[in-house]
Amino acid sequence: MSATLRAGARRAVPVFPATLTLGVSFGVLAAPIIGGAAAVVMSAIVFAGGSQFAAVGVLAGGGGAFAATGAGLLMNARFLPMGFGFAPAFRGGRLWRAAQGQAIVDAGLVLARKDDGAYDRNLLFGSTAVQFVGWVGGTALGVLVGNTLPDPDAFGIDGIFPAFYIALLGGELRGTRARIAALLAVGVVLAGASFLPPGVPVIAASAVALIGLIPGRDRNEPPDPGDGEPTKEEVAK
């Protein structure tokens, strides 16, 4: 294992308890609806908490498989702009690059970023491996212990998922534009929640990320590798 892969795995260690807990919550909530084995297999194959919770939520509300799949796809649409950000870090042909992109998860936006603001694929692979173990293992644990919980909602399990995302967001609000984008995204979600189908307001809010195309950079943001400013690695050399 390369040093960068190990570094990525170490970065994910603090996130592991939260990922494990999220997996447990999914297993507890999903097992009565789709079955324990299906919940574990879903976590191993889909490996996307947002879409999995969305799909199970639709099924729990009486929706069919088509509606559940649509909700999951809408939630996973957030990986498209994330993929654009990670694309320069991947190597090889199109199919191989697409395969590498399967390692992209939400926490990877934080854990796989280098000091110069670019992404490193080995940091991504190492951190994602740890999170995969936590997510799938947590789901299996949730399936096993779910029947022993008289009322899962009484433990606040449904609040763990949004709390996890809020914690990730906190580390990203380092610049003025990032704070503005976060506030605008919240506004879009709140405004759209009253008349748009579930999941759509979240996807609409991702359009706010286009604020990053505006020229200029906050003082607190890491320098762009192509703007002529030396990175920490270059200074060290």
Side-chain angles (χ1 to χ4, degrees):
M1 181 183 293
S2 71
T4 314
L5 282 171
R6 289 195 297 269
R10 286 194 298 270
R11 289 188 179 190
V13 170
V15 183
F16 182 83
T19 306
L20 180 69
T21 305
L22 282 171
V24 171
S25 69
F26 178 75
V28 170
L29 298 173
I33 301 171
I34 63 175
V40 176
V41 171
M42 186 181 190
S43 285
I45 296 177
V46 179
F47 187 36
S51 64
Q52 291 181 228
F53 276 105
V56 169
V58 170
L59 294 175
F66 182 80
T69 302
L73 290 175
L74 279 174
M75 289 299 298
N76 270 358
R78 70 190 188 278
F79 289 118
L80 289 176
M82 291 168 64
F84 296 151
F86 274 102
F90 297 142
R91 301 290 182 268
R94 291 183 178 180
L95 291 178
W96 179 231
R97 290 165 65 88
Q100 295 173 68
Q102 302 308 303
I104 298 176
V105 292
D106 297 295
L109 286 173
V110 179
L111 301 176
R113 181 178 296 156
K114 299 187 294 185
D115 290 337
D116 60 6
Y119 293 104
D120 186 288
R121 65 174 185 167
N122 284 332
L123 288 177
L124 175 67
F125 297 156
S127 63
T128 297
V130 173
Q131 294 175 81
F132 182 83
V133 173
W135 177 248
V136 178
T139 301
L141 182 59
V143 169
L144 293 175
V145 305
N147 292 332
T148 65
L149 299 177
D151 183 8
D153 290 339
F155 294 89
I157 289 178
D158 54 340
I160 296 174
F161 194 64
F164 176 73
Y165 277 97
I166 291 174
L168 288 179
L169 178 64
E172 295 296 290
L173 302 181
R174 293 174 293 181
T176 302
R177 283 197 297 178
R179 299 187 185 100
I180 293 175
L183 290 174
L184 288 175
V186 170
V188 170
V189 171
L190 293 178
S194 60
F195 63 92
L196 292 175
V200 175
V202 176
I203 303 305
S206 66
V208 177
L210 295 176
I211 194 175
L213 297 177
I214 300 175
R217 176 171 56 84
D218 292 338
R219 290 179 300 175
N220 294 329
E221 290 180 343
D224 189 316
D227 64 5
E229 298 182 24
T231 62
K232 290 185 177 180
E233 289 83 357
E234 293 172 337
V235 173
K237 292 179 181 179

